[in-house]
Amino acid sequence: MELLNYMLRFIEEDAPIGDITSLLVIPDITCNAIMTAEQDGIIAGLTEVSTLCSHFGITVKQDAEDGNLVGKNDMILSLSGDAKKILLVERTALNIVGRMSSIATQTRKMVDIVSSINPHCRVAATRKTCPGFQIFDKKAVQIGGGDPHRMNLSDGILIKDNHLALVPLRSAVRTAKNVSVFKKIEVEVETSDDALIAATAGADIIMLDNMTPYQVARTIEVLKREGMRDRILIELSGGITESLLINYAALDVDVISLGFLTHSVCNFSVNLEIVPDNNP
Amino acid sequence: MELLNYMLRFIEEDAPIGDITSLLVIPDITCNAIMTAEQDGIIAGLTEVSTLCSHFGITVKQDAEDGNLVGKNDMILSLSGDAKKILLVERTALNIVGRMSSIATQTRKMVDIVSSINPHCRVAATRKTCPGFQIFDKKAVQIGGGDPHRMNLSDGILIKDNHLALVPLRSAVRTAKNVSVFKKIEVEVETSDDALIAATAGADIIMLDNMTPYQVARTIEVLKREGMRDRILIELSGGITESLLINYAALDVDVISLGFLTHSVCNFSVNLEIVPDNNP
Amino acid sequence: MELLNYMLRFIEEDAPIGDITSLLVIPDITCNAIMTAEQDGIIAGLTEVSTLCSHFGITVKQDAEDGNLVGKNDMILSLSGDAKKILLVERTALNIVGRMSSIATQTRKMVDIVSSINPHCRVAATRKTCPGFQIFDKKAVQIGGGDPHRMNLSDGILIKDNHLALVPLRSAVRTAKNVSVFKKIEVEVETSDDALIAATAGADIIMLDNMTPYQVARTIEVLKREGMRDRILIELSGGITESLLINYAALDVDVISLGFLTHSVCNFSVNLEIVPDNNP
Amino acid sequence: MELLNYMLRFIEEDAPIGDITSLLVIPDITCNAIMTAEQDGIIAGLTEVSTLCSHFGITVKQDAEDGNLVGKNDMILSLSGDAKKILLVERTALNIVGRMSSIATQTRKMVDIVSSINPHCRVAATRKTCPGFQIFDKKAVQIGGGDPHRMNLSDGILIKDNHLALVPLRSAVRTAKNVSVFKKIEVEVETSDDALIAATAGADIIMLDNMTPYQVARTIEVLKREGMRDRILIELSGGITESLLINYAALDVDVISLGFLTHSVCNFSVNLEIVPDNNP
Amino acid sequence: MELLNYMLRFIEEDAPIGDITSLLVIPDITCNAIMTAEQDGIIAGLTEVSTLCSHFGITVKQDAEDGNLVGKNDMILSLSGDAKKILLVERTALNIVGRMSSIATQTRKMVDIVSSINPHCRVAATRKTCPGFQIFDKKAVQIGGGDPHRMNLSDGILIKDNHLALVPLRSAVRTAKNVSVFKKIEVEVETSDDALIAATAGADIIMLDNMTPYQVARTIEVLKREGMRDRILIELSGGITESLLINYAALDVDVISLGFLTHSVCNFSVNLEIVPDNNP
Amino acid sequence: MELLNYMLRFIEEDAPIGDITSLLVIPDITCNAIMTAEQDGIIAGLTEVSTLCSHFGITVKQDAEDGNLVGKNDMILSLSGDAKKILLVERTALNIVGRMSSIATQTRKMVDIVSSINPHCRVAATRKTCPGFQIFDKKAVQIGGGDPHRMNLSDGILIKDNHLALVPLRSAVRTAKNVSVFKKIEVEVETSDDALIAATAGADIIMLDNMTPYQVARTIEVLKREGMRDRILIELSGGITESLLINYAALDVDVISLGFLTHSVCNFSVNLEIVPDNNP
């Protein structure tokens, strides 16, 4: 679905029968409005908000681009148009930019930490997103320099612990490998033995879940010894906090995925201020 | 829209053409699954997840009720049914419970702080929610003992600073008051002078925005002096953090609204574990 | 949902696979069309029909504004554009204007009767609307000078007889009052005793249902005696016909709600005439 | 679209975020409810309301069938189920039955008048319906013994005055006739000359619009003289009120269509009363 | 539903979260593109594809009109606009034109065969279409000069063998005839006896199903003998292949319907080639 | 979107206001119905049709499984339920099974040809599907033993000729490779030089488009010489007909994709016969 359609749902959710306050007190006038950052960080969501505003006939000028580093009080969007329409989209627009910028900022920070230590290692998100906003969460990660990972359950093959509670590891990987010509096969494992089984069975990506740095190192060693390391990508996941990140990034791994990028998001503060239109 | 319809959209967002991994590797079997809390707090979202699971033919037993205080490792939901269906809803279910429980837990904490100081003062949310999930965010606040405030722009009249940039305070309130028989009129003001104007013009609720505790106290004094205090409700809003809350709660106010309840949410950790079904 | 989306549903309902007659016999030409009132009254629905026509690329000039008093044969809308598009929307447009103008005209008449007797008393609608057209019915009432009352079940708290068949009056009002900071509490009662209980329990609005004028007067007296009259709004409802209205309006009441405004609607006659376009 | 889907839209329109009163004051209990006619007439809409109630898990017993003649205080539906669900659908259900029964009752009356004079002549509706409720309006006409006529613009070919303002009568009919093998061609004319042209060109149905009974008689005579009468159906339309109906019905015509059947509808009064459930 | 809405569903089906390749590798540039026929035949679908492209802001020039005979390498559409948008619609556009042109071409061929033998006999389609594309299949038949027959189940009355397994022929036709003033009644029969019963009962169209040419001729004879032939239309259907067509067309029939027009479709080959834009 | 939702759209497309024939002539009775194959082949679509029938309350027994080889006159589905519901879904059900079985049968045939020559080589579909039915076309290919290839534009990265008209090959592959950790990169090339560039730049799959068998062999030789053959998958595409297939399958390739599997589909003949229910 086009992102605009998602955003029109947001407006419908927030105004099922319209913005009753504005309909009551605001006359048919035009006005300007300025969206401003209230903190430093990577701004995101401006493309989306511009699309949303344009849909409602509001003229938009982007004073920054998604992915820019902005500072406190920097103007990021200039709007002009029908006052009631601007008031209708105001809060939704701020919520979109606020959450996406927070995610982008947090992602950039983690990417910087990881790449300073291990330039080949990527930072990825998980599917621990806010339902209804998942595709925006993923896009914000991209803007922050991270990898969105699977966009959704239809988007990639990832055999996880809950699959493996039901089917044996080796046969699951082989089944997937036999059937899937066009997609990589990723498997989540918790031991180096399983990592080796998965690699041998043909997995393209091995996700080492909830391992200590030592266990990861050991697992990589095992894979190297068996000549498997170069044929696969290694992803780390599970409980990796910002403070632990540095320890994991130092290892010979390809991707580190971090749930908190999207499941624990502190609002990035943005503000929208209406400026009366002097030229009616 | 019924909450179920929102949740079906979440599933469609997360599986536009199905869960390709499960379709590939999981046979047509049934299984059980247990959802467990991984931390202490107020659990929320169980009613919603039960509804969602039932829709997909999964049998659900709630081991806790929304609003219960749960502890680490407490079972909260027991599922049983088609394995592929359980795997299809797993992540969405966890994301719903994770976010809602976090909001409920945070709200309960703030409600406890406020009511220990001022039993008559309520804690309320704002519309700084995650787009697409707003109604769930609001419900989580209620489960935590807070007031959801306006559910959306159609749900209440709140004249804010951006309205007042375009129309004069007194006439905005009077217009609204004249037209609106069935709804309360709320106005956001930033000075005690404006608070008095709003009250005199007939506002039912005055939101004092971004005031220091001292300014709030002064404003209440002014309203009392003019015999207006008892005819209105007083709400505080704007930049009230957890650490400041105690200072504001000690004042003679009716409601304190806190944006961070819904705009800054750290995931409440929950886990779902599949258990193979021994009795096919 | 935006009103346009409702109207697009109307068009889809009336032309699920298009207007087959026009597709068959009308070439690709443009034309003009004039919508004319065929009787006197308050016109309504022109804003909506203009929005609908614009969506289909038809140029619209409003020759009257919603709420205007129009006379027989007055032009109200001038359209110009693709002939097949005008023919596609013709009947839906006429049906919208016909029903809305009828409601607005009838409402205005009742408002005039009431306000000539009791300038402080408002006329309100009920939810006895045509399903699928409810929001248009409510808007037509507003255009006629009436109060739309609750727009829908999500829009206000109104404890009615069927609630009170299940829960006691006093506790219902108190529960609602305790929980609802931001919304007025309205209660429907049938006796003066219940009116007093409701007022004492904290209701903001008391709807006296199906009372004779004498019973209403008695109830107001009771409320006054207890010092409650000025703290509440009094609404009358139930079986008040046009001929009885004068008796009720003379009482000290705040609102009279009339089901027939929207449940018994005789079409306001409007006509649309196509005029061939002389300047191809 | 299935009728149920239309009705779910009605519920969503009337409760975009639920029935907030019932959610507030009604506990999780079941109850019974009785729908009763408050006047005499032909009842309609019971099938639809039963379907709607069933969707929400409410058990329904129909105490009457659509098309039955019911009397004042007759029970028509018995419901039992979750109290909050019954309260959610209550008003929508009453509005559906109220409007449909009114249309059915009015239609039956007109059918009785016409058929007492001219047993071969049918009564039909027009597309002057309430947008959003069109298919229910048409069904109500059928229940009353009338012909729904075109269900919508996709459903039949009817060349009207506004088509004939743009294309010549003879060629319009011929074009339609040449192309349309499977559908009858109907044409609206205002003179006997045009009636003859239309018949000669191959029209299957001639609608005589806004003619006096004398003009109709003359036109039929002309058609007979030319040997055309038996090859076509004759429909009368335009401004035929109940009092004039008797004059038109006496003529040798096949169908009389009446706009007022659906555009001027006075509510048929029905009531729903909740009865507490004694067996919890 | 408007055709555009169907096509937007096609795009959503083909790009639920966008065209990930183009988003990855194509910069924000404009380009031109040429759609070319790769074989001879009747082109169709250009109107639809133009509407689709315009919706996405792509400028379209039609180099041919629907229904034109085009030759190999003929340009049929010229597009220009945002490169990513053109790549987004490319395959859907080609699929629409490919299938519709194939149907139109095949239909034209059959129409030419039939009309060379029997100028009064029409070629019609059936409902053996591709689900989801039915209305486009029907339109393609029209472009090829065929009759679309019933567009869908709501569009005409056709009593088939499976109805007649449940209700007797004569009463089915009579019921339908009595109720249906505005629609023709068509009946499918397999014997000349049944054809006569159907005609006598008042059917407007008799579909002779799966008869040999000899059986058809005999049936017509019977109908003629009874004076029924001129009061009905005769349609042939069932297993008529291209090679048999000539035998059936020679008979005195009105319509021949051919399932293979839409159920057995070999792609009409069209190609779209991107041309870089030299004037940025 | 769940497949059921697609099928409900098909029903809505085919019966926007219901099946008017059945509503007219069929009483409220139940019946049985048998779906039978009228030719030999691989049956497909039974799972889907069963789901659809169940949704409408029809009891279904599958007499064959998707992927089974069935013969002429074999029963494949037994239905029982409300006669009008069965008649409502009849044609849609037949169209689904007819098209899907045809595709599955054709696919199986090609798979058998290829695997008899080259057991390691897979047969794949393209996106040359019928819009609105794409996901069913892809599923039918799978049932026939083929690979569905990309399900849609969101599902895999495939850099095609039209991308390469706008961006250079090497940089396109590198950009994609750098960004895409979790997905394979496929590139379409037309020369052995480009194949080598693509492989060197890191492509995972090389699609050789429109090459003769000789050119393919030469290209593979070049890739082998450079040590690239084993690191990539080789896919052939473009103009490979059934008669040419044997020549291409003999080469050292991994996948052959065939547009005709889904763009040129001759209906697989299936029939549904209603059997009156003897036990009312």
Side-chain angles (χ1 to χ4, degrees), chain C residues 113 211 213 238-250 256 258:
Chain C
I113 291 173
M211 287 191 184
I240 302 177
T241 59
E242 183 179 341
S243 59
L244 293 173
L245 187 54
I246 197 166
N247 301 326
Y248 286 100
I256 298 175
L258 301 169

Side-chain angles (χ1 to χ4, degrees), chain D residues 212-255:
Chain D
T212 62
Y214 175 76
Q215 291 171 316
V216 171
R218 276 259 329 156
T219 301
I220 293 171
E221 216 172 290
V222 169
L223 290 166
K224 278 190 173 149
R225 199 189 312 137
E226 302 292 329
M228 291 288 173
R229 174 63 189 93
D230 293 344
R231 293 171 47 185
I232 56 167
L233 294 172
I234 293 179
E235 175 178 351
L236 304 186
S237 193
I240 302 178
T241 59
E242 183 179 339
S243 59
L244 294 172
L245 187 54
I246 197 165
N247 300 326
Y248 286 99
L251 301 165
D252 172 23
V253 297
D254 301 294
V255 190

